[in-house]
Amino acid sequence: MAQPQKVVVVGNGMVGYKFCEKLLNKAGGGSFSITVIGEEPRPAYDRVHLSAYFSGTSVDELTMAPASWYAENGIQLLTGECVLHIHPEAHYVMTHTGRKIEYDKLILATGSSAFVPPVPGVEKEGVFVYRTIEDLDAIISYAQGASRAAVIGGGLLGLEAAKATLDLGLETHVIEFAPRLMPRQLDAAGAGMLKRKMEALGIQIHLNKNTAHFEGESNVKGLAFVDNTSLEVDMVVVSAGIRPRDELAKQAGLGVGPRGGIMVNDELQTTDSDIYAIGECALHKGMIYGLVAPGYEMAEVVANNLTLSIAKKGDVKSFHAFDMSTKLKLIGVDVASFGEPFCEHTPHDTIVVEDKLKGIYKRLNVTTDGKHLLGGILVGEADNYNMLLQMVKNQMILPPNPEDLVMPVRKGESAGAGMGVASLPDDASICSCENITKGTICEAIEGQNLGDVAAIKKCTKAGTGCGGCVPMLSDLLTETLKKQGKTVKKVLCEHFDYSRQEMYHLIKMSGTRTFDEVLEKHGKGCGCEVCKPAVASMLASIYNDVIAKQAVIQDTNDRYLANIQRGGTYSVVPRVPGGEITADQLIALGTVAKKYDLYCKITGGQRVDLFGARVEQLPFIWEELIDVGFESGHAYGKALRTVKSCVGNTWCRFGVQDAVGYAVRIENRYKGIRAPHKLKSAVSGCTRECAEAQSKDFGIIATEKGWNLYLCGNGGIKPQHAVLFASDLDDDTCIKYIDRFLMFYIKTAEPLQRTATWFNKLEGGLEYLRDVIINDSLGICEELEKEMEYLIETYHDEWRVAVETPEIRARFTHFVNSEEADPTLEFVEMRGQKRPSDW
Amino acid sequence: MTTQHTTWFKAAPISAFPENGGACVKYHDRQIAVFHFKQLDKWYATDNECPHKHQMILSRGMLGDQQGHPKVACPFHKKTFSLETGLNLQGEDYCINVYPVKVEDGFVFIGV
């Protein structure tokens, strides 16, 4: 067997690592003996996401592969070791420890270093660059004694650095020499929008500023500019560009460019054919590529060609000018630039959308015949970036109204025509970091039966670089499975092979009324904490029986008809329709709260919450509340909670309708109805919207002529405004639409899916929903209304039933063999009331 | 096994426990959750305390099975525990004690 070829890689950054990975994948072990020499003290890490280090991502998480990976694959990894000389004639390199390493092929992946302009005073303490984990550690430690930081350089990396100093709690200034931010990626208008956004976040931007010298004694105290202005800061991060690390190559007599960079041909060979250069140190046709994707492509080319020279099969690959498109999130602001962003020398027409209010700027450069996209710029919203980039790369024919591609997408409306992954050709590159095409991904999904995005990542490596293509992977998966006749079905859990919508239909058709019947007829096993409450909710939505009759399948709150709180006590929320309450009712609440020593809190939904009730106290408390006319508020259920209202025209001088009266009517109409998730509503008496109806599942705002109905909003983790569904409705029409809407949602949503999420996934969006509910396009409105009518007629106050039914009431005990309360409950005093002691 | 020393504590009549649900039994100053898993025709007993946040609550938990293995889910944060072994089924570190149960003459006895 031939001796393995000796491959030595100088530089263990992202590209150097990727080269090793690719060479191993192509050649397998044995054909090459690989040695990697890196000057940093640790194996290669993800420099693209370096800023994540500030927000708590650990070095381990950033590491491309641990040292053990190199060992397992037979790679000799030397970290913390510098190569001092290359000897091209004798084919070896010499390191600073005096180690002599021979090679057959040498790969230079030396990367680049931060460019530090020779400004007087740059050597002072407190001046940093932003490149390595050591730099970041130094910045973090120095920042503890600093309060104002300046970042020199308003490019990509500079803004990343600014985010870092902002995150460290420093007043942050960005100094840019050019008249705009990110001059290589953005035009003046786009950069202006970005500047406004950055300023709104508290970053101060100084443009057209040329630093003359750094002020201060041993430590930096400020910057003096050429225009005789100055800025007092106690820390500076220099991010004025990168310089290729070509010093080793230069010293070895290899060709380097006049402004730096190791000259390479299309096969990435330097002027010595046994020495290659890849990544940021390579100068290809006058270009230095400072992005990771072209670096990976270079690694691919060299790995391929080296393998070829041994295996003697396949085709020689070469490197071509690479797309510099990029998308990133800068301090929460999406910025993208793709294709030819400026089109300085290409005839074109532009389509520009600018919304200063929302901070969105989008520019498309289109061929003068309007058929093809050349490139563009996106600031503030870049959701369509992947598709737009694909349209450029594949020279796809633009849809008839290309402006639709950049018009802001409203929730619920489908994106512009021709925007689906289905329209992409098979050779469209989906993951540009790893250069993986749509064809490859789809083949993997089909050939290897991949079922989720994680599997696609693992199998194809797509989406493992910057991660920007992950949403497209998910779309491709759905698309491919659909083509195969498979659906990505959301089944309830291991016990039911159906989606909630299917289950709902099956239960209704089969007339099953208990969990056991449903399980026997449609499921398997014993059930679990996922399917039991889901089936319980469906049974309640269909039959509206007393839920306490099947207590053990209810989630704990529904089982005890109260909200469990820390310590295991419960809270009690009586219904207060529309938030309208009499003085007597308030007194009654106070009396009960006092008697049972309950902590009192006004809720966000205009009700009173009484905390700290022990399980055995609940029936007694409710007995007293029912006596004075209160009913269950269903605060514990996935059901209608509250219909909040403002005071409306009965008192308010601005009101145009009786908001409270209408809220009371609505709340009493829908109370007790169980749904896939909780339902909240509100009625505002005028356009000032004091009841915050637009944040509700269904919200109603008075107009001079009637009511505007808003649907599918929510607060919570991901707040979303409700959308205007219909305007100027009369009382009864508005209610008719709500009846239909609620039933439609109840019948078709996933378990625990709020109306907003349901709506976002509703194919056809708002127009479709209007068609179904207003125009009865599915012909189901009569049925929906009938089902709603049934639920309203069968309403019962479930606490009254619980208190009056001895076998239900008997379950409210802590012990079954003792009358005693739970002796472990402990409370402490807080602002004159009690609270549970800490857990 | 040291079953020969098991003390059987007479907890309550069968009817005190909901079918396919649990209830809490007081034994001196201890609290034991007892479950009547009717679907499997089995009885289980465990600590009432969920070790995750030290809440006396497991008797109010929900019964179910994971691939046929009986479990209980804590009402607070849906931590699930094997009723056979007491181990946490989500691979977390804590676990609960399980106790033998027998039913005689309509009464439930717990081995403590």
Side-chain angles (χ1 to χ4, degrees):
Chain A
M1 195 181 148
Q3 279 284 316
Q5 202 171 36
K6 292 192 284 282
V7 174
V8 172
V9 184
V10 182
N12 187 220
M14 295 175 81
V15 171
Y17 160 77
K18 189 54 72 173
F19 170 78
C20 296
E21 187 192 282
K22 286 182 183 280
L23 191 62
L24 283 174
N25 280 346
K26 287 178 196 297
S31 318
F32 295 102
S33 94
I34 308 172
T35 304
V36 181
I37 309 158
E39 64 180 16
E40 287 191 59
R42 55 177 63 84
Y45 50 88
D46 181 354
R47 228 183 282 280
V48 174
H49 295 110
L50 198 57
S51 299
Y53 188 60
F54 283 100
S55 39
T57 304
S58 67
V59 174
D60 281 352
E61 286 168 278
L62 287 172
T63 300
M64 308 290 293
S68 57
W69 176 87
Y70 297 86
E72 281 157 20
N73 288 292
I75 298 175
Q76 187 185 14
L77 172 68
L78 306 171
T79 50
E81 192 148 341
C82 293
V83 172
L84 291 185
H85 304 286
I86 302 172
H87 299 271
E89 299 294 319
H91 279 69
Y92 72 89
V93 300
M94 189 63 102
T95 74
H96 82 287
T97 59
R99 202 194 303 251
K100 178 179 165 187
I101 303 167
E102 294 180 342
Y103 68 82
D104 295 314
K105 301 285 178 191
L106 180 67
I107 317 296
L108 300 177
T110 46
S112 63
S113 56
F115 168 62
V116 181
V119 174
V122 72
E123 71 293 338
K124 292 188 197 304
E125 289 284 312
V127 181
F128 299 90
V129 296
Y130 193 81
R131 180 84 193 152
T132 64
I133 285 181
E134 283 68 32
D135 295 334
L136 266 57
D137 282 334
I139 289 171
I140 291 170
S141 115
Y142 197 85
Q144 286 171 355
S147 58
R148 285 155 63 94
V151 174
I152 298 182
L156 270 179
L157 217 63
L159 293 175
E160 286 275 342
K163 170 170 172 41
T165 55
L166 192 71
D167 284 350
L168 289 169
L170 305 182
E171 181 185 314
T172 297
H173 298 258
V174 170
I175 317 296
E176 170 58 47
F177 177 69
R180 62 176 194 263
L181 292 174
M182 295 180 70
R184 283 158 153 245
Q185 288 87 11
L186 300 182
D187 60 7
M193 196 65 81
L194 181 63
K195 176 168 180 274
R196 283 169 64 119
K197 289 222 144 191
M198 296 285 127
E199 285 169 342
L201 291 162
I203 297 179
Q204 300 180 45
I205 312 277
H206 309 267
L207 301 173
N208 293 311
K209 288 282 178 195
N210 191 358
T211 309
H213 63 268
F214 292 76
E215 294 177 331
E217 297 296 319
S218 62
N219 293 61
V220 70
K221 286 281 167 250
L223 298 174
F225 302 111
V226 172
D227 62 6
N228 286 326
T229 56
S230 62
L231 180 70
E232 219 174 280
V233 292
D234 41 22
M235 184 169 169
V236 178
V237 180
V238 179
S239 179
I242 56 166
R243 285 291 174 268
R245 297 278 302 269
D246 57 7
E247 62 276 8
L248 270 177
K250 203 186 280 181
Q251 187 197 51
L254 302 176
V256 295
R259 281 181 296 164
I262 308 168
M263 281 163 42
V264 291
N265 62 16
D266 284 354
E267 288 177 41
L268 288 325
Q269 280 165 318
T270 64
T271 47
D272 179 319
S273 62
D274 284 334
I275 304 180
Y276 296 76
I278 56 176
E280 290 180 323
C281 64
L283 179 70
H284 178 257
K285 293 199 167 134
M287 276 288 287
I288 296 278
Y289 291 94
L291 295 177
V292 71
Y296 281 8
E297 175 62 18
M298 290 178 184
E300 166 72 25
V301 168
V302 177
N304 178 77
N305 295 352
L306 288 189
T307 311
L308 200 68
S309 67
I310 292 204
K312 312 266 185 251
K313 59 171 192 223
D315 298 315
V316 174
K317 280 195 181 175
S318 51
F319 181 80
H320 301 289
F322 203 90
D323 186 64
M324 290 298 277
S325 303
T326 182
K327 173 190 164 183
L328 71 162
K329 214 177 194 64
L330 278 171
I331 324 186
V333 182
D334 279 327
V335 178
S337 161
F338 59 95
E340 288 188 63
F342 307 119
C343 273
E344 279 160 328
H345 307 295
T346 317
H348 68 284
D349 286 315
T350 56
I351 298 172
V352 172
V353 173
E354 190 179 41
D355 181 344
K356 288 205 166 144
L357 200 61
K358 291 199 178 118
I360 293 170
Y361 172 80
K362 297 182 181 185
R363 163 178 168 174
L364 294 185
N365 303 317
V366 178
T367 51
T368 47
D369 60 5
K371 287 203 173 132
H372 299 285
L373 187 60
L374 294 164
I377 292 166
L378 307 170
V379 176
E381 185 183 276
D383 294 355
N384 285 346
Y385 167 76
N386 281 316
M387 281 306 301
L388 293 172
L389 178 60
Q390 293 304 331
M391 295 185 105
V392 174
K393 282 190 175 172
N394 298 296
Q395 305 202 334
M396 287 162 68
I397 300 285
L398 284 170
N401 301 310
E403 68 273 18
D404 289 353
L405 298 171
V406 282
M407 290 311 272
V409 181
R410 286 206 182 76
K411 290 286 174 206
E413 283 174 16
S414 52
M419 292 296 293
V421 283
S423 61
L424 292 176
D426 272 355
D427 58 358
S429 164
I430 299 294
C431 171
S432 48
C433 295
E434 296 278 346
N435 195 17
I436 296 165
T437 62
K438 174 182 166 185
T440 310
I441 294 167
C442 293
E443 265 168 45
I445 296 172
E446 282 174 41
Q448 308 194 39
N449 275 322
L450 307 181
D452 54 38
V453 172
I456 299 177
K457 281 183 168 179
K458 196 162 171 216
C459 181
T460 66
K461 294 236 164 233
T464 56
C466 70
C469 61
V470 168
M472 290 181 97
L473 297 181
S474 163
D475 289 349
L476 278 176
L477 179 69
T478 314
E479 199 67 38
T480 310
L481 293 182
K482 225 190 241 172
K483 239 192 265 164
Q484 291 176 296
K486 290 183 204 166
T487 42
V488 199
K489 191 160 105 176
K490 286 214 172 102
V491 301
L492 223 47
C493 68
E494 64 174 88
H495 304 103
F496 292 96
D497 253 339
Y498 302 101
S499 69
R500 182 181 178 280
Q501 192 176 345
E502 290 168 328
M503 286 290 298
Y504 193 98
H505 186 72
L506 286 171
I507 293 172
K508 214 168 163 178
M509 289 301 120
S510 62
T512 38
R513 287 185 96 104
T514 67
F515 179 79
D516 291 347
E517 285 169 23
V518 175
L519 185 68
E520 196 190 58
K521 201 135 192 177
H522 309 296
K524 53 183 183 275
C526 301
C528 67
E529 72 279 5
V530 174
C531 61
K532 283 180 174 180
V535 169
S537 162
M538 286 183 263
L539 290 171
S541 294
I542 295 170
Y543 303 112
N544 210 13
D545 286 338
V546 175
I547 66 161
K549 286 185 179 160
Q550 293 189 69
V552 294
I553 61 163
Q554 312 291 342
D555 244 331
T556 193
N557 287 355
D558 268 335
R559 181 168 174 187
Y560 292 96
L561 304 171
N563 296 53
I564 196 164
Q565 305 292 354
R566 265 179 42 200
T569 61
Y570 292 86
S571 71
V572 169
V573 187
R575 188 167 295 288
V576 181
E580 187 177 66
I581 189 163
T582 64
D584 280 339
Q585 285 175 312
L586 278 173
I587 290 167
L589 284 179
T591 309
V592 170
K594 205 161 190 175
K595 176 167 170 188
Y596 292 93
D597 186 21
L598 304 175
Y599 167 84
C600 303
K601 170 100 178 62
I602 306 291
T603 72
Q606 306 187 332
R607 322 203 268 189
V608 180
D609 204 339
L610 308 174
F611 291 77
R614 297 195 308 268
V615 65
E616 69 275 10
Q617 292 177 320
L618 287 170
F620 294 95
I621 291 172
W622 271 106
E623 206 159 39
E624 295 190 27
L625 292 172
I626 289 167
D627 273 350
V628 291
F630 282 111
E631 294 180 324
S632 166
H634 297 92
Y636 47 81
K638 305 300 178 203
L640 179 76
R641 297 286 169 82
T642 199
V643 181
K644 187 172 167 178
S645 71
C646 74
V647 75
N649 69 356
T650 51
W651 286 91
C652 176
R653 64 200 160 112
F654 297 116
V656 293
Q657 303 283 351
D658 175 13
V660 183
Y662 201 51
V664 171
R665 179 174 169 194
I666 300 229
E667 183 156 345
N668 281 325
R669 183 172 181 82
Y670 301 118
K671 66 187 176 189
I673 290 173
R674 280 193 158 70
H677 212 304
K678 63 185 170 188
L679 290 168
K680 295 183 173 185
S681 178
V683 182
S684 277
C686 80
T687 182
R688 285 169 190 76
E689 240 286 67
C690 295
E692 299 164 328
Q694 289 169 92
S695 66
K696 305 299 184 193
D697 295 280
F698 57 107
I700 298 153
I701 302 176
T703 68
E704 296 282 351
K705 296 179 198 152
W707 307 101
N708 282 352
L709 176 59
Y710 291 78
L711 296 181
C712 303
N714 68 201
I717 300 175
K718 230 182 133 191
Q720 180 168 325
H721 275 148
V723 292
L724 179 60
F725 179 77
S727 305
D728 295 328
L729 304 171
D730 61 63
D731 288 13
D732 292 341
T733 308
C734 187
I735 281 177
K736 186 166 74 181
Y737 289 168
I738 300 171
D739 280 1
R740 294 172 179 179
F741 160 70
L742 288 178
M743 268 333 289
F744 187 47
Y745 158 69
I746 288 170
K747 294 175 81 164
T748 58
E750 300 286 333
L752 301 180
Q753 188 176 43
R754 290 284 301 266
T755 58
T757 325
W758 170 76
F759 177 70
N760 293 345
K761 299 214 164 141
L762 197 63
E763 234 167 278
L766 179 60
E767 279 316 307
Y768 172 74
L769 190 61
R770 281 196 185 122
D771 252 5
V772 172
I773 287 168
I774 301 176
N775 306 325
D776 196 12
S777 61
L778 298 179
I780 55 170
C781 285
E782 196 187 327
E783 188 189 342
L784 296 176
E785 284 173 31
K786 241 170 66 191
E787 287 164 338
M788 178 55 79
E789 207 49 53
Y790 171 82
L791 293 179
I792 293 164
E793 275 167 19
T794 50
Y795 168 78
H796 49 272
D797 174 12
E798 50 201 24
W799 258 114
R800 178 183 287 275
V801 177
V803 167
E804 291 173 355
T805 312
E807 60 269 29
I808 297 176
R809 186 169 179 152
R811 276 190 233 125
F812 289 84
T813 59
H814 184 71
F815 294 115
V816 288
N817 60 339
S818 163
E819 301 278 301
E820 228 179 283
D822 179 359
T824 64
L825 292 178
E826 275 176 30
F827 298 94
V828 293
E829 196 271 350
M830 174 188 65
R831 296 184 293 278
Q833 299 197 69
K834 71 172 180 186
R835 71 166 178 85
S837 51
D838 292 328
W839 62 11
Chain B
M1 294 286 279
T2 52
T3 42
Q4 67 267 35
H5 296 303
T6 302
T7 312
W8 291 101
F9 163 64
K10 187 174 179 179
I14 292 174
S15 60
F17 302 92
E19 292 179 355
N20 295 314
C24 182
V25 166
K26 181 175 159 68
Y27 174 68
H28 301 303
D29 55 358
R30 285 160 68 184
Q31 300 192 16
I32 297 171
V34 178
F35 303 97
H36 183 191
F37 210 134
K38 186 140 188 275
Q39 288 161 309
L40 300 175
D41 196 22
K42 283 200 170 151
W43 289 79
Y44 296 99
T46 71
D47 291 334
N48 192 36
E49 182 181 288
C50 175
H52 170 225
K53 291 285 180 184
H54 304 289
Q55 301 284 296
M56 285 295 186
I57 207 67
L58 284 179
S59 62
R60 297 179 215 167
M62 193 174 284
L63 296 184
D65 79 286
Q66 180 172 322
Q67 313 289 324
H69 191 102
K71 64 173 180 177
V72 60
C74 175
F76 271 103
H77 304 97
K78 297 267 160 68
K79 302 288 173 193
T80 52
F81 299 92
S82 160
L83 290 170
E84 305 270 6
T85 65
L87 292 176
N88 175 279
L89 292 173
Q90 289 130 326
E92 290 166 35
D93 266 349
Y94 29 77
C95 57
I96 52 176
N97 291 309
V98 295
Y99 307 94
V101 183
K102 67 176 183 182
V103 176
E104 272 175 19
D105 306 325
F107 272 86
V108 177
F109 294 80
I110 304 162
V112 287

Coordinates of all heavy atoms in Angstrom, one line a residue, chain A residues 525-549:
Chain A
G525 N -53.3 2.0 24.1 CA -52.6 2.2 25.4 C -53.5 2.8 26.5 O -54.8 2.6 26.4
C526 N -53.0 3.5 27.4 CA -53.8 4.0 28.6 C -54.0 5.5 28.5 O -54.7 6.1 29.3 CB -53.1 3.7 29.9 SG -52.8 2.0 30.1
G527 N -53.4 6.2 27.6 CA -53.5 7.7 27.6 C -52.3 8.3 28.4 O -51.5 7.6 28.9
C528 N -52.3 9.6 28.4 CA -51.2 10.3 29.1 C -51.6 11.7 29.4 O -52.7 12.2 29.0 CB -49.9 10.3 28.3 SG -50.0 11.2 26.7
E529 N -50.6 12.5 29.9 CA -50.9 13.9 30.3 C -51.1 14.8 29.1 O -51.5 15.9 29.3 CB -49.9 14.4 31.3 CG -48.5 14.7 30.7 CD -47.6 13.5 30.5 OE1 -48.1 12.3 30.7 OE2 -46.5 13.6 30.0
V530 N -50.8 14.3 27.9 CA -51.0 15.1 26.7 C -52.4 14.9 26.2 O -53.2 15.8 25.9 CB -50.0 14.9 25.6 CG1 -50.3 15.6 24.4 CG2 -48.6 15.2 26.2
C531 N -52.8 13.6 25.9 CA -54.0 13.3 25.3 C -55.2 13.4 26.2 O -56.3 13.7 25.7 CB -54.0 12.0 24.5 SG -53.7 10.6 25.6
K532 N -55.1 13.1 27.5 CA -56.2 13.1 28.3 C -56.9 14.5 28.4 O -58.1 14.7 28.1 CB -55.9 12.7 29.7 CG -55.8 11.1 29.8 CD -55.4 10.7 31.2 CE -55.4 9.2 31.3 NZ -55.1 8.7 32.7
P533 N -56.1 15.6 28.7 CA -56.7 16.9 28.7 C -57.2 17.4 27.3 O -58.2 18.1 27.2 CB -55.6 17.9 29.2 CG -54.6 17.0 29.8 CD -54.7 15.7 29.1
A534 N -56.5 16.9 26.3 CA -56.9 17.3 24.9 C -58.3 16.7 24.6 O -59.2 17.4 24.1 CB -55.9 16.9 23.9
V535 N -58.4 15.4 24.9 CA -59.7 14.8 24.7 C -60.8 15.4 25.6 O -61.9 15.6 25.1 CB -59.6 13.2 24.9 CG1 -61.0 12.6 24.9 CG2 -58.7 12.6 23.8
A536 N -60.4 15.6 26.8 CA -61.4 16.3 27.7 C -61.9 17.6 27.2 O -63.1 17.9 27.2 CB -60.7 16.5 29.1
S537 N -61.0 18.4 26.6 CA -61.4 19.6 26.0 C -62.3 19.4 24.9 O -63.3 20.1 24.7 CB -60.1 20.4 25.6 OG -60.4 21.4 24.7
M538 N -62.0 18.5 24.0 CA -62.9 18.2 22.8 C -64.3 17.7 23.3 O -65.3 18.2 22.8 CB -62.2 17.2 21.9 CG -61.1 17.8 21.1 SD -60.4 16.6 20.0 CE -59.0 16.0 20.9
L539 N -64.3 16.8 24.3 CA -65.6 16.3 24.8 C -66.4 17.5 25.3 O -67.6 17.6 25.0 CB -65.4 15.3 25.9 CG -64.8 14.0 25.4 CD1 -64.5 13.1 26.6 CD2 -65.8 13.2 24.5
A540 N -65.7 18.4 26.0 CA -66.4 19.6 26.5 C -66.9 20.5 25.4 O -68.0 21.0 25.5 CB -65.5 20.4 27.5
S541 N -66.1 20.7 24.4 CA -66.5 21.6 23.3 C -67.7 20.9 22.5 O -68.5 21.7 21.9 CB -65.4 21.8 22.3 OG -64.3 22.5 22.9
I542 N -67.7 19.6 22.5 CA -68.8 19.0 21.7 C -70.1 18.8 22.5 O -71.2 19.1 22.0 CB -68.3 17.6 21.2 CG1 -67.1 17.8 20.2 CG2 -69.4 16.8 20.5 CD1 -66.4 16.5 19.8
Y543 N -69.9 18.3 23.7 CA -71.1 17.9 24.5 C -71.5 18.9 25.6 O -72.6 18.9 26.1 CB -71.0 16.5 25.1 CG -70.7 15.4 24.0 CD1 -69.5 14.8 24.0 CD2 -71.7 15.1 23.1 CE1 -69.2 13.8 23.0 CE2 -71.4 14.1 22.1 CZ -70.2 13.5 22.1 OH -69.9 12.6 21.1
N544 N -70.5 19.6 26.1 CA -70.6 20.5 27.2 C -71.2 19.8 28.5 O -72.0 20.4 29.2 CB -71.5 21.7 26.8 CG -71.2 22.9 27.6 OD1 -70.2 23.0 28.3 ND2 -72.1 23.9 27.5
D545 N -70.8 18.5 28.7 CA -71.2 17.9 29.9 C -70.4 18.5 31.1 O -69.5 19.3 30.9 CB -70.8 16.4 29.9 CG -71.7 15.6 29.0 OD1 -72.9 16.1 28.7 OD2 -71.3 14.5 28.5
V546 N -70.8 18.1 32.3 CA -70.1 18.6 33.5 C -68.7 18.0 33.5 O -68.6 16.7 33.6 CB -70.9 18.2 34.8 CG1 -70.1 18.6 36.0 CG2 -72.2 18.9 34.8
I547 N -67.7 18.8 33.5 CA -66.3 18.2 33.3 C -65.9 17.5 34.6 O -65.1 16.6 34.5 CB -65.3 19.3 32.9 CG1 -65.1 20.3 34.0 CG2 -65.6 19.9 31.6 CD1 -63.7 21.0 33.9
A548 N -66.4 17.9 35.7 CA -66.0 17.2 37.0 C -66.4 15.8 37.0 O -66.0 15.0 37.9 CB -66.6 18.0 38.2
K549 N -67.3 15.4 36.1 CA -67.7 14.0 36.1 C -66.6 13.1 35.6 O -66.6 11.9 35.8 CB -69.0 13.8 35.3 CG -70.2 14.3 35.9 CD -71.5 13.9 35.1 CE -72.7 14.5 35.9 NZ -73.8 14.6 34.9

